[in-house]
Each structure stands twice: as structure tokens, then as C-alpha cells.
Amino acid sequence: MKQIIFLLLLFSTAVFGQDNPFIKHMYTADPSAHVWADGRLYVYASHDIDPPRGCDLMDEYHVFSTDDMVNWTDHGEILRASQVPWGKPLRNDAKFMWAPDCAYKNGKYYFYFPHPSEDPWGKNWKIGVAVSDKPASGFKVLDHPMLGLPESGEIDPCVFVDTNGKAYFYYGGGGKCFGARMKDNMYEIDGELTPMEGLVDFHEATWVHKRNGIYYLSYSDNHDEGNDKEGVKGDNRMRYATSKSPLGPWEYKGIYMDPTDSYTNHGSIVEYKGQWYSFYHNSELSKKNGKFNDWTRSICVDKLYYNADGTIRKVIQTDNRLKAGTAKIDISPTTPQNGRTVHDPIYARSLILQIQDTRIAFLSFDLGGYTNPALLNKLKNDYDLDELYFCPSHTHSGATDRNTIEEKLTSIIKEASDNMFEAKISGGNRPTPQLTFNRLVIRDDGHAREAWYADPEEHFRYLNKERIPFGPVDPSVGVIRIDDAKGDPRAMIMNFACHPDALVDVRSVVSADFVGYATKYVENAFDNKVNCLFVQGGAGNQCSLFKTPTDGSEPEKFFDMVGRMGKLLGIEAVVLAKELYPNPNEKPSILLKTDSLDLASRFEKDVARIHFSTILINDKYAIATFPGEPFIKFQLDWKQEMGPYAVPFFFGYTWNGGQWPTYVPDVRSAALGGYGADWGPVRAPGGGEAVMTKHLNNYYVIKGLMRSTQGPGDHRLDDGTVIWKPDWQK
């Protein structure tokens, strides 16, 4: 037997450490993000005063910084309206310290801000400049506004310092955007202002950044839900254009951020430690504080990604809520080969789950098996998925047009991604009447033989027509239920271990087998408003008790039998699903760790490198994925290990890269023998146990319980007195 080769961890992901909004102790807007020479990322933000009065109560700019994108320091107020020498008090005590920006040059930090110079405020905007030797304190306002600009009307300043040291100034509002070179003094325009040409539907919020020699100008558009003609909810979207020059002309590229829950949006784009980020604002904090208002806003950040051609992918706005998306499509072949007919439709279903920037997806489909590394990587890349799991039901009667399956699977990932909703999750396992038996039955010589091997003395008959419940089996069904914010179920995962091979002898039809009947029953029970994804368990040695009719072998008898099996399973799944309700006290989280092992073949020379993930959702739902056809013992062991601490699910036949290992038996089954245990395409004894040991270890790692150093070893009395410490603690 070849030695099982342990590989290094491929990667692990966990929830993005912070949650949006990332500043919670005050209302902030218009984030201008920069990375300075000290290695920290700084955000310069405006401040909405509570209670708001539209946008005419904004004052007291603050600066926030971080070195890990998780922990933020508030450096305090750096400027307020009363410190602007050329500004005049406005009627009704209005304050208009709107969106700012900051730049560094000549050893100085220059802070730019708009402010009215007199009433009426709408026609008398100017751009002020404050200067400091430090990035977050000590700013002193110049006694005059910027020089070289028009007499009035400037808001939303943006200053971009190119890699060659040349600085450029931009401003824009009311549908107009202008830019110009700046003099080295950083408060005067060098030459004429230039209209920024090529922008589509420009409103305000100019921001310029550079990547790979290309200049990007991003901005807020004029979209208004009240006058929407595209069916888009919400207001301002963020658009962008590119150019080979910092002053254009610009080539419009599209929308990179959909509306938030705020009437406005204003953003910045910056690279930090090799990752690009999009900063923006919404009004989520006021909602969390119980007094939602468009004008008490809060700054947010999410990762931003570029396509290979330099275009920007649409930013996924995240917070600490669970988001989900789901879709379903018929994948039945239109012209089945070999004269076959479609008896019942076969489907593919998708489910995307996201919390903050951790995003995973499941694709279940009624096929015998399907792996596609190119498609997997493309979908992960295109839809920002940390992991994507292909979950074939393993129906032996599945068939589809392989030329269209990629298009169909892509379409339901896209549909799910385009229609994400706020979600709640619940899950559990429920005992069922025993619907399965272990198809490797122990015989008189102590070895096991397959269900299709009859003893000469009829101790065991062909295919267990008497439906004797041989074991071990797992007589239970698992359900993960996904509800929307209203509490209505939208998607479910049904987890059950059994080969869908009852119709293998009816070779003239395409069918989802019992899986199709079970999922249809569940969806019908919820008025077809849910998508029910079926995910196999450890079905490598599990067979349906309803595999063979007891009173004939006509096709219709098979269909009745398979339908009965599916209905019985569906009934139990529905009973469980209707008993499940999300716990409002659960904190949403997705933790996952993806690992890799080499599994040697038992009798051949090949080695299969497999990938598998340990997933923990809401610190409660523990999922172990396993590609190929694992035996039931791994499922039973996982449930026994996790049962006291989490709600366990074992996802067999689940592939997320690497190779498909075919059968993976446990050591005892490998010794007893039979198909998939000691003959056929089978992996060496001990391989499956090695995978499950990694799962268990990874569970405790992502839980944060597996220490990397020695734990405490001191002896302590009841009163807290330490009477002994080991050497490593001294």
C-alpha cells in the first residue's frame, strides 16, 4: 500500500475582520482614502451632524487610519467651518463642509475642502486648503481659497499626484467636471481648466487613480429611483472612465457600484498591501441605530477587483449580514442520445452565501458526475467566489448536452449573484424511516459482497428484493434552510446519503431518480418559491431499499418505486424544514479552510490529489466536504464528533478542484471488501481517515481553539494564587 502523502494547506479564508460600516461611533461620509509613507492607510471623511437637516449640517472633518484594514484609529477632528478665515457665517447656522480630499507633496500634507464664502451658499462655493507636517493633525487653513479657479461653484475637490510628481486638481458638481495641472505650491492652478470629456451621466464625486499606466476617473451619476427607467432600486451609482492621460479625454467604461441605501454616494479607490479597495458611504449606521435617514451616513470599504483587460468588476457591497442568492435551470437534453427519452426533467440549482467579503457557492445538478476545472476557475474569478462546490446527485440515469452545460451552470451562478438578498439560516438533521441499506453485505466467510451478488443458498437474494435493512447506514436527512429578511424560505439544501441508481436497468429514460421526486416534493410543499438543492452524503456503499420492484420489473413499476422513495424522503425533509427557524442571537459568519491531500490508489499506481473544505457557518453549522464516493462511516463519524458542538453536515460527491478520487472506503470496509472497497476504482485504506482527521483539525483551527504554542500549565489555588508555573511560562 502506498503511503498517504500529506500536502501543505492550499489556502484558508475567514470572514473579513471588520464589518461595514467600519466607523460606528459617529456619522461619516465622502471617504477619501490614501496610503502615506508611514505604511498606514488614512481616510479623510466629512461628518453628518445628528439630527440632520438635509446636507446643510456637515462640519468637523475627521481622519481615520489603519494598518490591517480591521482596526481603525480615530485621530479626531482636524478642521471645522469656524476655522475658515475667508468663510462667513451662514443663515440658520448652516454648515457646509462637504466632501474633502488630501494630497502629499514637498514634505507637506495638503487638505482640500469646499466651503461657501458667503450667502447665498449655493452660488458661492470655493475650495479651501489646509496644510500640515503630519497626516492626521496640525492642519492650518490658508487665508485664501485656491487660486486660479472660477469665482464660485467648486465642490468635491480631488487632487491626484502622479508617479512623476506632477499634481492635478479636479472638481465637479451639477453635471460638470473640470481638471487642470497644479503649480508646485499645491494651491494654485497652472494654466486653464479643462472639461473632462467622455464621461457619461456625470453628477459629482470625482476621484482619479492610476493602475498599470492607465488613469481611472470614477464618479457618482444622476440616477434617481423616482425617475428610474431601468428598474434599478436606489439612487446614485458609481461609474468610471479610463484614459492614457490624467486630463483625458476619457473613455467611458461602465458602472462599478450599484446604489447603496443612501440618496448619495461618494467614493475613492486605493491599493493597500497588494489589494485594491473601494471606499464609499451608505446610511446603514442610522438604520442600525433605529433612526434611518439618508443624511446620517456612514463610511464603508470593500475589496475591488480588475478584470484581465483592466476593467473594474462591480463592487460587492458587504456588511455583517448574511446574503444569499439562488437560481434553478432545466438541464434535460433536448435530443437524448441512443433513443432515450426524458421521463422526468433534470435540473441544476445554485446557492451563493456571503457574509462581508467571504463568498461561497454550491451548484447541485442531476448528473452522474461532473468536474470542469476551467469552468470552476472562471466562475470563481468572475463572481468573486472564495470557493465553488460542484455537487452532482450521482443519478445513474442523468444525461445532458455537454456543449450547453457550461452555459447553463454559468447562467444560474450569474442569476444568483445578480439577485442577492438579506438572508437568515437555520439547519438540522432528522431521523427518517430507514430508506437505505448498505449494499456491501457481510457473508458467511466474513467478507462482504455486493447487493447484486446472490448467495447460492439464497441467504441473500439478488438486489435485496426483500428490503432487509442491512447496515451501517445513516437513517437521517439533513436540511439547511435559507430564509429572506421577511422570514420566507427561498432555498434549501437537502443532505442525504443514498445511490440514485434504481433506474439503471431502465436504460431508455433520462431521470433524476428519487432525487428528482424528493426535491420536487419539497419545492411543491413551499409553493415552488424555494429551490431545493440535493447534496449527497457518504453514499459510496449506500443503496436504496426501493431499488428493485418486488412484484415485477416493468418500467412503470420502477417509476412508482422511485417516486415512493423520493416522496418518503421529501416528507421527512419538509417536516424538518418547517420546524427550522433562524436564531436571532446568532452572529452571522462564514469560516472555511480548504485543504489538499494525495490519495493513493489501492491497487494501481495513480495518486489522486483531492481538495476538500471544512466550513463553519454562524459558528454552528459544520460542513465537511469530500469529493468522490466516500463511504458512510465518514459521515457517521463526522456527526458523532461534531454533534455535541455544532449541527453537522457531510457533503460527499462534492468537488471544488483537484481530482475526483472515485471510491474512498473506510479501513474496516476495505478489509471486508466488495465493489468500491477492494475492487473497482478504489483508494487505499486509510486515505479517507486521513481526510477526516484533517477536517477535524481544521474545524478546531477555524474555531480558534487549536493553539500554535503550548497552553497554560500553571497551578492555581481557589483564591487565585499561582503556586507553580512550567518553565515556558516563567
Side-chain angles (χ1 to χ4, degrees):
M1 183 183 75
K2 292 188 177 180
Q3 182 180 4
I4 302 299
I5 305 170
F6 287 83
L7 300 179
L8 293 176
L9 178 70
L10 288 178
F11 55 83
S12 62
T13 69
V15 259
F16 197 28
Q18 83 210 17
D19 59 278
N20 281 322
F22 64 89
I23 300 300
K24 295 181 171 60
H25 64 280
M26 62 186 296
Y27 292 116
T28 52
D30 311 315
S32 168
H34 295 274
V35 179
W36 301 134
D38 63 359
R40 294 183 69 85
L41 184 147
Y42 290 81
V43 176
Y44 300 81
S46 58
H47 172 222
D48 288 338
I49 297 173
D50 186 32
R53 198 168 66 204
C55 59
D56 71 349
L57 277 182
M58 297 178 65
D59 200 4
E60 305 160 11
Y61 294 113
H62 275 240
V63 183
F64 309 92
S65 75
T66 183
D67 62 2
D68 60 7
M69 298 302 294
V70 175
N71 301 291
W72 291 86
T73 299
D74 181 356
H75 296 277
E77 177 189 325
I78 61 168
L79 183 65
R80 61 173 54 198
S82 61
Q83 297 171 329
V84 181
W86 46 265
K88 294 184 178 180
L90 303 177
R91 289 174 292 180
N92 300 322
D93 195 32
K95 295 177 175 65
F96 290 94
M97 302 297 270
W98 285 1
D101 195 14
C102 193
Y104 176 78
K105 191 174 180 181
N106 307 325
K108 302 284 186 182
Y109 296 90
Y110 297 86
F111 183 73
Y112 300 87
F113 60 94
H115 188 65
S117 57
E118 57 183 288
D119 275 326
W121 64 267
K123 298 182 179 180
N124 294 284
W125 288 96
K126 297 187 183 303
I127 303 298
V129 186
V131 186
S132 176
D133 296 326
K134 302 175 183 179
S137 63
F139 284 95
K140 303 297 182 183
V141 182
L142 299 183
D143 60 4
H144 58 79
M146 276 194 63
L147 303 178
L149 296 179
E151 289 298 319
S152 62
E154 309 100 33
I155 64 169
D156 290 2
C158 170
V159 175
F160 168 71
V161 180
D162 206 345
T163 49
N164 59 11
K166 295 180 180 179
Y168 297 84
F169 176 82
Y170 308 83
Y171 77 91
K176 297 179 181 180
C177 182
F178 295 89
R181 277 281 308 275
M182 298 182 75
K183 292 184 178 181
D184 286 342
N185 60 27
M186 295 296 285
Y187 60 77
E188 188 173 359
I189 296 302
D190 186 6
E192 297 292 327
L193 286 163
T194 303
M196 297 294 96
E197 298 179 349
L199 308 181
V200 173
D201 199 26
F202 178 88
H203 176 51
E204 59 185 11
T206 308
W207 179 266
V208 175
H209 74 280
K210 185 179 181 180
R211 177 182 179 271
N212 294 341
I214 301 297
Y215 298 89
Y216 292 76
L217 190 155
S218 53
Y219 58 93
S220 173
D221 70 9
N222 292 287
H223 183 259
D224 186 331
E225 185 174 339
N227 299 310
D228 175 63
K229 298 179 181 179
E230 306 169 59
V232 177
K233 294 183 178 180
D235 295 296
N236 294 157
R237 298 172 291 195
M238 300 300 292
R239 300 176 181 253
Y240 76 104
T242 62
S243 176
K244 296 180 180 179
S245 164
L247 295 177
W250 301 92
E251 181 181 354
Y252 174 70
K253 292 296 184 180
I255 296 167
Y256 78 91
M257 182 180 289
D258 289 328
T260 70
D261 60 358
S262 175
Y263 181 69
T264 65
N265 203 352
H266 192 115
S268 54
I269 296 173
V270 67
E271 183 183 23
Y272 187 51
K273 296 184 177 181
Q275 173 66 55
W276 286 89
Y277 293 94
S278 172
F279 287 81
Y280 60 99
H281 67 233
N282 61 23
S283 297
E284 183 66 25
L285 183 61
S286 66
K287 186 184 299 182
K288 291 181 178 180
N289 290 341
K291 46 182 180 180
F292 175 78
N293 191 291
D294 278 321
W295 300 104
T296 43
R297 296 163 293 184
S298 38
I299 56 177
C300 304
V301 60
D302 280 304
K303 291 179 180 179
L304 178 142
Y305 298 93
Y306 296 84
N307 295 309
D309 61 1
T311 54
I312 300 176
R313 300 184 206 166
K314 189 170 286 188
V315 172
I316 300 171
Q317 299 173 39
T318 65
D319 50 35
N320 63 344
R321 293 174 294 183
L322 174 67
K323 303 289 181 60
T326 184
K328 173 182 174 181
I329 193 169
D330 191 325
I331 59 171
S332 305
T334 54
T335 55
Q337 296 179 341
N338 302 321
R340 300 170 73 189
T341 58
V342 176
H343 176 267
D344 52 279
I346 59 176
Y347 289 98
R349 299 169 175 89
S350 64
L351 174 64
I352 298 177
L353 298 175
Q354 176 181 338
I355 298 175
Q356 297 176 23
D357 73 340
T358 298
R359 185 172 164 94
I360 62 176
F362 299 92
L363 273 174
S364 76
F365 35 80
D366 299 320
L367 296 177
Y370 181 76
T371 62
N372 188 328
L375 178 63
L376 178 85
N377 292 329
K378 184 177 188 304
L379 293 176
K380 287 175 65 175
N381 183 68
D382 289 351
Y383 296 97
D384 300 325
L385 300 170
D386 293 284
E387 283 295 349
L388 171 60
Y389 303 95
F390 285 19
C391 306
S393 69
H394 200 57
T395 174
H396 286 42
S397 302
T400 190
D401 185 347
R402 296 280 168 157
N403 295 322
T404 63
I405 188 65
E406 289 191 14
E407 178 183 340
K408 290 185 176 182
L409 295 181
T410 299
S411 71
I412 58 172
I413 287 290
K414 181 180 186 303
E415 182 180 347
S417 182
D418 289 345
N419 296 280
M420 301 288 284
F421 55 89
E422 183 179 349
K424 305 292 183 182
I425 190 169
S426 56
N429 292 282
R430 174 183 173 84
T432 68
Q434 186 166 335
L435 303 175
T436 63
F437 73 101
N438 194 306
R439 70 185 192 181
L440 300 183
V441 183
I442 301 175
R443 308 305 171 101
D444 292 345
D445 62 358
H447 277 103
R449 288 303 305 265
E450 309 79 18
W452 52 86
Y453 177 84
D455 294 326
E457 65 277 11
E458 291 192 328
H459 176 211
F460 182 86
R461 291 182 173 177
Y462 176 70
L463 289 181
N464 194 16
K465 294 178 182 178
E466 296 168 310
R467 298 180 182 171
I468 301 171
F470 295 99
V473 299
D474 182 3
S476 67
V477 62
V479 170
I480 297 175
R481 171 173 160 169
I482 306 298
D483 293 357
D484 60 23
K486 297 179 180 178
D488 296 327
R490 299 281 296 276
M492 293 182 192
I493 294 178
M494 180 196 304
N495 185 208
F496 186 71
C498 182
H499 260 78
D501 62 352
L503 296 177
V504 69
D505 292 328
V506 188
R507 302 183 184 278
S508 62
V509 301
V510 172
S511 171
D513 206 281
F514 77 84
V515 173
Y517 290 92
T519 53
K520 181 179 180 180
Y521 184 90
V522 172
E523 291 176 349
N524 286 344
F526 289 92
D527 299 323
N528 291 308
K529 295 179 180 179
V530 304
N531 291 325
C532 182
L533 290 76
F534 182 90
V535 178
Q536 271 290 1
N541 55 351
Q542 300 296 288
C543 193
S544 171
L545 279 171
F546 295 77
K547 181 175 174 61
T548 302
T550 59
D551 54 355
S553 59
E554 300 86 355
E556 195 57 41
K557 298 290 185 180
F558 279 87
F559 299 139
D560 291 345
M561 173 194 62
V562 170
R564 179 62 176 161
M565 165 72 175
K567 182 176 181 179
L568 288 172
L569 179 61
I571 288 172
E572 300 299 333
V574 168
V575 170
L576 172 58
K578 290 187 175 181
E579 292 175 347
L580 296 174
Y581 290 95
N583 183 345
N585 297 316
E586 287 178 7
K587 183 178 180 181
S589 65
I590 297 176
L591 301 171
L592 75 92
K593 201 173 184 68
T594 293
D595 224 327
S596 177
L597 285 177
D598 276 0
L599 299 187
S601 171
R602 182 165 184 180
F603 300 110
E604 305 298 331
K605 294 182 178 180
D606 73 286
V607 174
R609 178 169 297 182
I610 69 166
H611 299 176
F612 52 92
S613 294
T614 312
I615 308 169
L616 183 61
I617 301 176
N618 287 13
D619 201 35
K620 181 176 181 179
Y621 306 103
I623 301 170
T625 75
F626 202 133
E629 301 190 49
F631 276 29
I632 196 65
K633 185 176 189 300
F634 304 127
Q635 178 169 320
L636 295 171
D637 287 352
W638 178 249
K639 288 187 173 182
Q640 183 177 12
E641 288 282 1
M642 291 292 103
Y645 316 110
V647 180
F649 298 93
F650 185 83
F651 285 7
Y653 298 71
T654 297
W655 177 85
N656 61 315
Q659 294 172 267
W660 187 262
T662 60
Y663 284 97
V664 185
D666 59 277
V667 171
R668 173 174 168 79
S669 295
L672 296 180
Y675 183 68
D678 67 354
W679 73 278
V682 55
R683 295 293 143 184
E689 282 80 0
V691 173
M692 298 313 297
T693 297
K694 281 301 261 184
H695 269 307
L696 190 59
N697 179 79
N698 291 345
Y699 167 78
Y700 288 111
V701 168
I702 62 179
K703 279 281 292 185
L705 295 175
M706 188 65 71
R707 290 190 176 99
S708 58
T709 59
Q710 295 190 71
D714 55 301
H715 294 194
R716 191 180 298 268
L717 299 178
D718 292 340
D719 63 1
T721 303
V722 176
I723 60 174
W724 179 82
K725 286 186 178 182
D727 291 340
W728 71 84
Q729 285 186 252
K730 293 179 180 177

